[in-house]
Amino acid sequence: FYTQQDRSQGGGHRWDKIKPLMNDNYINSSYTSWEGKKVETKITLSPKASVEFYNMGVWSMKTLSLRTDEKIEGSINSQIRYSDLGFAGFIENSSGFDMEDCYIISSSQYISIGDIKSGEKKEIAGEGKRYYGNRYDLMDSLYSQNIRRSNGQNLTADEIAQLRMDNQKRDILDYYFGDKPSSAIEGIKLIGWTKAPMGGRIKVNGKDVRSFEKSLIAAELKLVLESGGEIELPLGYIQPVVNRDMFKGNYEPYDNMIYGMGTVEVSFNMGKDIKPQGISIIQDKIDPMIKQFIWNAENNDWESGDFTNFNIGQQMISKYVDQNNSLRLKYELNEGSFRLPQISVKGSVK
């Protein structure tokens, strides 16, 4: 659960941890030495937890993190299949919270499934909508910033309320995705929102105030794999394994980029239970100076070519999938860079 409170009400809950919410990527500081530094925040943990902010403007905002000792019981149950660019199955909400504005998301697609009340079992069927790039493209697709870009035009009360709600959701999603090493979405996830109050009560300046609270519920989903049944795995479901033993450079997991010189091998293992019948390789355009190879299992050797958008039909599976049920690619760079590919798989379960 990831919760944002613009304001809160009441009091009397014990907090395990209270601290400013900071992004570890922000490593630069305007201060070059301890001399001249100013205290901006003071945190008191005991006997009564509190936070004090200094030199705050009327419309300025400070963000903090609260960790509670509250245990949340419940679960999200699902049976989801992926085929023909869409999702089908059901989601059962046993979390104990009414959920609204729910989505199923993958590394390249999402589908809106609306609201799911506590105890409700909802059938899912529909084609996913594509988004391109990373988590920010996804957030732009889910929660548009068009209102924010109104260049100072007057907003109606409804537009202001929608802007505040969308900004809350974007901020919480950004914190949630910020815990992940890559900007791409891995696997299949369910995200939804609840208005149920979390974590007790907070007072601002010792007073009860209005509260605008949203909490994110996020759950990892597994695709159904039934013996003998057909299966389709979307882009990003099978994660690449990178071997850089003969490479001098860097791998940036945030944007899945390789920088440097030497040889990089990338493999996709489909597991012992999947019998692939078709594989699609999707990749951004690569500099022609970067040499590309695919492992030819029949010839037991590397085969050169352009595999940025390459489809492997059923008749070629035995040629390009090795005895470990892996697809292997190789890249030779000379001070170059490229983004790692993704694959989608059609087949059956053994």
Side-chain angles (χ1 to χ4, degrees), residues 103-122:
Y103 293 89
I104 294 175
I105 58 176
S106 71
S107 67
S108 61
Q109 293 175 274
Y110 66 92
I111 180 173
S112 173
I113 57 176
D115 302 342
I116 314 176
K117 293 189 177 298
S118 178
E120 180 182 1
K121 180 179 179 180
K122 191 163 190 176

Side-chain angles (χ1 to χ4, degrees), residues 76-81 88-93 104 113 116 120-125 221 224:
I76 301 293
N77 303 313
S78 67
Q79 284 191 8
I80 299 295
R81 295 174 177 82
F90 71 81
I91 300 288
E92 185 175 12
N93 179 12
I104 294 175
I113 57 176
I116 314 176
E120 180 182 1
K121 180 179 179 180
K122 191 163 190 176
E123 297 295 327
I124 308 300
L221 304 181
V224 174

Side-chain angles (χ1 to χ4, degrees), residues 227-286:
S227 180
E230 294 184 351
I231 185 67
E232 188 170 343
L233 305 178
L235 291 172
Y237 192 79
I238 300 176
Q239 292 297 304
V241 176
V242 183
N243 185 335
R244 297 180 291 141
D245 287 344
M246 300 176 64
F247 184 75
K248 294 181 179 179
N250 296 311
Y251 166 49
E252 295 291 347
Y254 178 78
D255 52 9
N256 284 327
M257 292 291 293
I258 296 286
Y259 302 89
M261 61 185 300
T263 299
V264 176
E265 292 188 20
V266 180
S267 63
F268 296 88
N269 186 277
M270 286 156 277
K272 62 181 182 179
D273 297 326
I274 302 298
K275 183 179 180 181
Q277 297 168 348
I279 302 173
S280 294
I281 303 172
I282 302 297
Q283 189 171 25
D284 292 348
K285 186 177 181 180
I286 292 181

Side-chain angles (χ1 to χ4, degrees), residues 20-59:
L21 191 55
M22 302 176 65
N23 190 323
D24 292 337
N25 292 327
Y26 299 150
I27 59 175
N28 295 320
S29 171
S30 59
Y31 299 115
T32 57
S33 68
W34 282 103
E35 294 182 6
K37 284 192 174 182
K38 299 178 181 179
V39 175
E40 296 182 347
T41 306
K42 183 174 77 173
I43 299 175
T44 302
L45 297 178
S46 180
K48 184 177 181 179
S50 67
V51 178
E52 294 181 50
F53 296 112
Y54 300 96
N55 300 318
M56 290 284 292
V58 175
W59 298 109

